[in-house]
Amino acid sequence: MPDARPRRSAQGRRLAVALTTAGLALVALAAAIVLARWWRGTEAGEAFLAAFPGTVPPPPGTPEGFPAWLNWTHALNTFFLLFIVSSALHLRAKARPPALVTRRATRLWPVNPARPPKRLGLHTWWHLVVVTLWVATGLVYVVLLLVSGQWARLLPTEWETLPNAVSAGIQYLSLDWPAHDSWITYNALQEVVYSVTVFIAAPLALATGLRLSPVWPDRWMREHGPLSDAWARRTHALVLWYYLAFTAVHVGLVLLTGARKNLNAMYTGVDDAESWVGAIVFAGSVVVMAVAWVLLRPPAQTAIAERVADVRRMPAPPR
């Protein structure tokens, strides 16, 4: 019987590192809050915030509100990201897959005898499935964003956005939220962060994921530089942690800066600070994700894979 002590020791070290990192992050956050609150009270701080209040007026003709397609793509994006992150963490931990999946030949995608399909671990296969759905949702979102004119609410169009983003960040850190109305326009920090998330982080995640996937051509691989395996893995992992941090901060601020108004806008497309409908829909979406999390475990993933691919179930690891 294999000795479980080395595994437990490694898990203990990882837990200690995680707890230490979390503690240091909380100390750094507390120090940043104290510093921001102090700086706001100085003459330089007051003058900076007066010159740059944190919001830049949108271009003339920019649409207001949150259309239904934006609500739906936002909800689907959240749903797929849940399983992208969970499967990515399985892969990062190098967890033993409970099954191996091989693509089955179809009329639309026949098998080339010279290059037979690669056998994938279940976690890798599931990761590729949910990423494909996430990318499809993202493409619909970007196309509608450009066609509808909603891009002007998201992309910075003035250089003044940068100092105003710094101002909004200081106001958030000081726990005195910047005044803005997301129904009309995002504040400058939201514009910058949302633009980075949609147009930099997402394509970077896709590009590095493709580099690490079995569909990447061998002739395009390199030992060093952006096309190397090591570079792609590091960058992909950084994007993963970026999305985790973004999600935590985003959800926290949505709930702290006028939860009912924000949830009504994001989930029902209504500008209302009193109704509880958005909160109810949000709670329902959380329940759906929790149920999906329970139901779509590896046994269910294996059953889904067996419908579309050749699956070899692996024996349970020895205890």
Side-chain angles (χ1 to χ4, degrees):
M1 181 178 293
D3 191 351
R5 284 177 294 181
R7 185 191 308 173
R8 291 173 182 171
S9 177
Q11 291 174 346
R13 287 195 297 268
R14 286 196 293 267
L15 178 60
V17 170
L19 292 176
T20 302
T21 303
L24 292 175
L26 289 175
V27 171
L29 178 60
I33 291 172
V34 171
L35 182 62
R37 293 185 67 85
W38 166 80
W39 191 78
R40 287 194 64 162
T42 65
E43 290 186 6
E46 291 177 352
F48 180 78
L49 294 181
F52 303 103
T55 301
V56 177
T62 300
E64 298 179 358
F66 294 79
W69 61 263
L70 189 59
N71 302 138
W72 277 102
T73 53
H74 179 269
L76 288 173
N77 177 72
T78 305
F79 182 84
F80 294 136
L81 271 178
L82 173 69
F83 292 100
I84 288 174
V85 170
S86 65
S87 57
L89 292 176
H90 276 298
L91 294 173
R92 183 176 175 79
K94 298 181 180 179
R96 182 177 183 273
L100 299 175
V101 183
T102 306
R103 181 175 67 85
R104 190 181 297 161
T106 64
R107 289 184 178 180
L108 296 177
W109 197 2
V111 170
N112 183 355
R115 297 184 62 185
K118 295 182 179 180
R119 180 177 293 176
L120 305 176
L122 180 68
H123 301 312
T124 301
W125 179 82
W126 182 246
H127 189 70
L128 293 174
V129 168
V130 289
V131 164
T132 301
L133 296 173
W134 176 70
V135 169
T137 302
L139 289 174
V140 171
Y141 166 78
V142 170
V143 169
L144 293 176
L145 193 74
L146 298 175
V147 170
S148 67
Q150 286 278 339
W151 66 268
R153 285 167 47 86
L154 193 71
L155 288 172
T157 57
E158 303 287 344
W159 283 111
E160 287 78 6
T161 300
L162 296 179
N164 275 282
V166 174
S167 172
I170 292 170
Q171 293 176 66
Y172 278 123
L173 273 177
S174 67
L175 305 182
D176 188 359
W177 317 127
H180 71 280
D181 186 354
S182 294
W183 187 262
I184 298 174
T185 184
Y186 296 124
N187 66 46
L189 184 60
Q190 286 176 308
E191 287 186 16
V192 171
V193 174
Y194 293 168
S195 296
V196 167
T197 302
V198 173
F199 295 105
I200 296 179
L204 195 58
L206 178 60
T208 54
L210 285 173
R211 168 57 186 83
L212 296 171
S213 74
V215 303
W216 189 264
D218 292 339
R219 64 181 181 277
W220 290 354
M221 292 184 180
R222 299 291 185 274
E223 293 185 4
H224 306 286
L227 295 181
S228 68
D229 189 75
W231 188 93
R233 288 187 185 281
R234 285 195 296 267
T235 306
H236 204 65
L238 287 174
V239 176
L240 166 65
W241 294 115
Y242 170 82
Y243 269 107
L244 288 173
F246 169 80
T247 302
V249 175
H250 177 60
V251 173
L253 290 177
V254 165
L255 298 178
L256 291 172
T257 61
R260 279 188 285 175
K261 181 177 177 63
N262 292 333
L263 293 174
N264 279 327
M266 293 168 59
Y267 283 88
T268 65
V270 175
D271 186 20
D272 188 344
E274 302 298 329
S275 172
W276 286 92
V277 175
I280 294 171
V281 175
F282 169 70
S285 71
V286 172
V287 171
V288 169
M289 288 191 290
V291 172
W293 177 273
V294 173
L295 295 180
L296 295 177
R297 306 291 288 177
Q301 297 168 19
T302 303
I304 294 172
E306 288 176 331
R307 292 180 175 272
V308 296
D310 297 324
V311 176
R312 176 189 172 191
R313 293 176 181 261
M314 302 297 289
R319 294 185 178 181

